[in-house]
Amino acid sequence: MALNYLWIAFFLIAFMVGLVRLIFFGDVDVFPEMMNATFDSAKTGFNISLGLTGALTLWMGLMRIGEKGGMIAVMSRLIGPFFSRLFPELPKNHPAYGSMMMNIAANMLGLDNAATPVGLKAMQELQSTNKSNDTASNAQIMFLVLNTSGLTIIPISVMAIRASELASNPSDIFLPILLATFFSTIVGIIAVSVVQRINLFDKVILAYLGGFSVLIGGFIYYLTSLSKDEVNTVSLLGANLLLFSVIITFILMAIRKKVNVYDAFIDGAKEGFNIAIKIIPFLVAILVAVGVFRASGTMDFLLEGVRAFCVFIGVDTRFVDALPTAFMKPLSGGAARGMMVEAIHTHGVDSFAGRMASTIQGSTDTTFYVLAVYFGSVGIKKTRHALSCGLIADFAGIIASILLAYLFFG
């Protein structure tokens, strides 16, 4: 629903701004430029979708190998003790634990198609313990915020788009996204825990959150001690070494379970190809709307206002060009993806704005979409603090993305 309103608003606002420019400023080129933008954006959306087929086919094939090899089950066991503390009202050994852990593990691996079905199943199982059919329970809210915070180990779609746009190294945003999603998830957990009065000083919770925080903090401290060129070298080497190690781990685990690795790859690759084809209409739709919005001058007007304010308070303004992706991210994943692609096309795939927009795109999930789908599946109408905590996690992820972009690419 939110995307519907956004899409309509892009066209109506662009039309009104175009009329103002034509009538009051005599700009006779504005409407030809807007119409040209529709055709150019439609062509861009189609070309990007086709360019995605190779990368998505590759990574969905690799992810299927990991899935068959039992990677989701391993990750579920690793985070099991942590989950039992985050959901104190959920009975021990409740079937929802298994579904939730599989959902989070699949999201971390970028397996969106596998994550959503088990996520909906988990929400239904959580509903069985809900004392009010139309009001979100504490457990349901915690689960939803864990989803919206979007902890991701392998940002497949973002890397695929960067590859299709001929980035010099499509995976250079891997570490920044990993760190940004970590901060988003930590802040989301803390926000929900404070509202629900979950004991964050529990030994198990402290061990998980504290251990990861120290590890991430130490890594960032190490990066701040390096020069820009050294940070770039460490980032590229670390990201690609880790990614290739994941691939080898998936293959070895599949071999151990006597999985036909090649057949598993082909099955996943077919799914990746189908996904690339299916997103063509969605990508074309949002890129055309964004293209018209920018061609009317509205986008530039908004961004220049923010840029002028930043200059006034003495803040670096390079991040402003990536803000449209940040504005759209909580509302619509498709719109945010369109804004990211638009930033890449306007400023360059390897530009500071292009890399920052890519990092923001991978930093969190889409709060309003997740809220609508997951709560809608079980008839929840009263969401309580789910939206506010989800938006807090989004905000943390976006701020972290901006700061990390300056650290890695600034």
Side-chain angles (χ1 to χ4, degrees), residues 87-345:
F87 301 90
E89 299 176 4
L90 198 62
K92 191 176 182 180
N93 297 322
H94 192 277
Y97 280 116
S99 299
M100 286 192 296
M101 287 187 287
M102 288 181 66
N103 168 264
I104 299 299
N107 273 326
M108 290 171 70
L109 293 173
L111 297 170
D112 294 336
N113 287 344
T116 301
V118 292
L120 294 176
K121 182 182 178 183
M123 189 61 73
Q124 291 170 354
E125 291 168 342
L126 289 172
Q127 183 71 352
S128 67
T129 66
N130 192 358
K131 297 178 181 179
S132 178
N133 290 333
D134 66 344
T135 303
S137 67
N138 284 347
Q140 287 174 318
I141 292 173
M142 178 63 83
F143 175 58
L144 183 129
V145 172
L146 285 173
N147 270 271
T148 62
S149 64
L151 183 60
T152 304
I153 294 177
I154 305 176
I156 296 174
S157 61
V158 178
M159 291 194 300
I161 290 175
R162 288 181 56 75
S164 70
E165 292 296 304
L166 305 179
S168 58
N169 194 313
S171 61
D172 58 6
I173 44 78
F174 169 72
L175 286 180
I177 288 178
L178 177 61
L179 295 172
T181 59
F182 169 78
F183 287 117
S184 173
T185 301
I186 290 293
V187 171
I189 290 174
I190 292 174
V192 178
S193 297
V194 170
V195 176
Q196 297 182 1
R197 299 182 179 179
I198 294 173
N199 181 17
L200 290 173
F201 295 100
D202 178 273
K203 288 187 291 186
V204 174
I205 292 179
L206 281 178
Y208 274 85
L209 295 186
F212 281 118
S213 297
V214 169
L215 183 65
I216 297 298
F219 179 63
I220 292 178
Y221 177 77
Y222 168 68
L223 291 177
T224 58
S225 68
L226 303 177
S227 67
K228 179 181 176 181
D229 290 338
E230 289 173 331
V231 168
N232 187 53
T233 300
V234 170
S235 174
L236 290 178
L237 176 60
N240 289 287
L241 177 60
L242 184 55
L243 279 173
F244 204 79
S245 297
V246 169
I247 294 173
I248 296 301
T249 301
F250 285 178
I251 293 173
L252 293 177
M253 289 181 66
I255 293 173
R256 182 174 176 272
K257 294 194 71 172
K258 299 181 179 179
V259 173
N260 188 316
V261 177
Y262 180 78
D263 286 348
F265 177 87
I266 295 300
D267 288 340
K270 290 177 181 177
E271 184 179 349
F273 180 83
N274 291 333
I275 291 172
I277 299 302
K278 286 179 181 178
I279 68 172
I280 290 177
F282 299 98
L283 196 55
V284 168
I286 195 64
L287 283 181
V288 168
V290 172
V292 169
F293 194 72
R294 179 176 281 278
S296 70
T298 311
M299 179 81 77
D300 293 335
F301 176 77
L302 293 173
L303 294 183
E304 288 306 314
V306 176
R307 200 186 311 275
F309 176 75
C310 291
V311 170
F312 176 74
I313 62 176
V315 175
D316 185 271
T317 62
R318 288 180 297 161
F319 76 96
V320 175
D321 293 321
L323 283 185
T325 306
F327 293 153
M328 291 297 108
K329 190 57 185 175
L331 299 171
S332 165
R337 185 185 301 111
M339 291 297 187
M340 179 192 77
V341 172
E342 204 272 343
I344 287 173
H345 272 255

